[in-house]
Amino acid sequence: MQIYNSLSHKKEDFIPRFSGKVSMYTCGPTVYHYAHIGNLRSYIMEDILEKYLRFSGLDVKRVMNITDVGHLTSDGDTGDDKMLKGARREHKSVMEIAKFYTDAFFKDCAKLNIKTPDVVEPATACIDEFIRVIQSLIEKDFAYEAGGNVYFDTSKLEKYYVFNDFTEEDLAVGVREGVEQDDNKRNKADFALWFTKSKFDAQELKWNSPWGIGYPGWHIECSCISMKHLGEYLDLHCGGIDNAFPHHTNEIAQSEAYLGHKWCNYWFHVHHLNTSSGKMSKSKGEFLTVSLLEEKGYNPLVYRYFCLLSHYRNSLVFSYENLDNAAASFNKLIAKIASLLCENSKGVIDKTSCDSLMKAFTDALDNDLNTSLSITALHDVLKADCSTATKLYLIAEFDKVLGLSLLSSAENFNAQKNSASDNIPQEVLKLAEQRKTARQNKDFALADSIRDQISALGFEIKETRQGTQINRIGQ
Ligand code: AMP
Ligand code: ZN
């Protein structure tokens, strides 16, 4: 498989350090609010990557942190702690909201068929690890105490800006615009590993440390949680593109300073989901969550399908119109699979067709996870000139990666159709079929008159996102 590596800025063959095994780390959510569907775009694409690596026969161990302390409203170490802000908003304790929004996050993930990583570790469970690594960084002269806080000294590195070509000047005027000046820092790019003084009084969670009572910075948690569970060499690190700087840049700085060697070989960054007015955020405009989509009548898997239609390295614009188009395509796909399931004779698996259709699918994903082409490969299976058994086998195999519940959705589709038609008189069903033909022929006058006949029999007919629905009037 080839994967675009943000470190080298090019597509590279993905070769894990230890043959057959992949260590994979994902930056988890900051649990001060619900995840928005932009956050979940990142987790969907990372889930596809993990599933595809497994599908290719690799043994993946995936670890994710839960940020429940230390993430300030500005990534540049200033502002309020996001968790504290969330707790104040809801008049609850930090730990109460952490638990509530961690559970909510995994519920959303389950609705979107996102697998829970093998290890999920909250930052507050690893304070001793953070202190141990920070102490070692001080001993190695990569960190210093100033004004009660501990900072990483970026001037000690040969190269700090690993993902891009930022300079200190860019940083001062652009990337960290609006960030308060912290006079304790020796260099502008230095970042906090441990806070005692900064925002200390308001902080609810604090721990003893060699530098006084305080709390960890955000970046140190990912380095330590990754090393704790995956050891000193990491194959693959994932996150949204906004995490590349400063979060991932800082993770690399402190991990490699601590370990004394290269830490992670491949960096996978998912680009943003935007609204027409710009980057999606939790504080701006309509707060788009999975529950909101459900309230509006969308199946969460339609959102997953919508994400798969675009490449993860392109930013994606969310609009209800775009989601409706995805819903229409998804529903047609399910209806076609449903009719395959109803066929009496399914034949046997045709090896030659099966291999070439499978190759189209794996070629797409081997090419830097081209999910949109993998969906084309799925549609091509439905159109292919091969047995139904071949098609159903391939749909089940592809779905191990795509995670769209294709066969179970198709079974539900058939079950609903049967139970609906069980309660509707044959005469009405026949009229509905005639109306469908009239609409296809664009004979709308006839279609309307058939609708009136259906009403006269006590039934109403509606076009919905899921297709035509017939109900008894008043139900
Ligand atoms: P957070 O909960 O803010 O720590 O973010 C969780 C994940 O969502 C991180 O990997 C972010 O990089 C990612 N993320 C944040 N905003 C977006 C967005 N609009 N589109 C895609 N991913 C995002
Ligand atoms: Zn992280």
Side-chain angles (χ1 to χ4, degrees), residues 21 60 94-95 121 123 196 198 246 286 314 316 332 337 349 379 400 432 446:
K21 288 191 187 307
V60 181
V94 165
M95 281 338 258
E121 182 93 272
T196 63
S198 162
E286 190 179 36
N314 290 331
L316 175 59
K332 261 195 218 157
I337 299 172
I349 292 179
H379 284 281
K400 288 180 183 166
L446 178 60

Side-chain angles (χ1 to χ4, degrees), residues 221-259:
E221 66 178 84
C222 287
S223 293
C224 292
I225 293 173
S226 170
M227 286 190 259
K228 176 177 171 190
H229 295 286
L230 297 168
E232 53 180 86
Y233 294 100
L234 182 62
D235 289 312
L236 182 56
H237 194 309
C238 311
I241 188 69
D242 59 313
N243 281 167
F245 184 83
H247 183 52
H248 293 162
T249 306
N250 292 349
E251 279 186 45
I252 293 174
Q254 65 207 1
S255 301
E256 298 192 351
Y258 170 75
L259 292 167

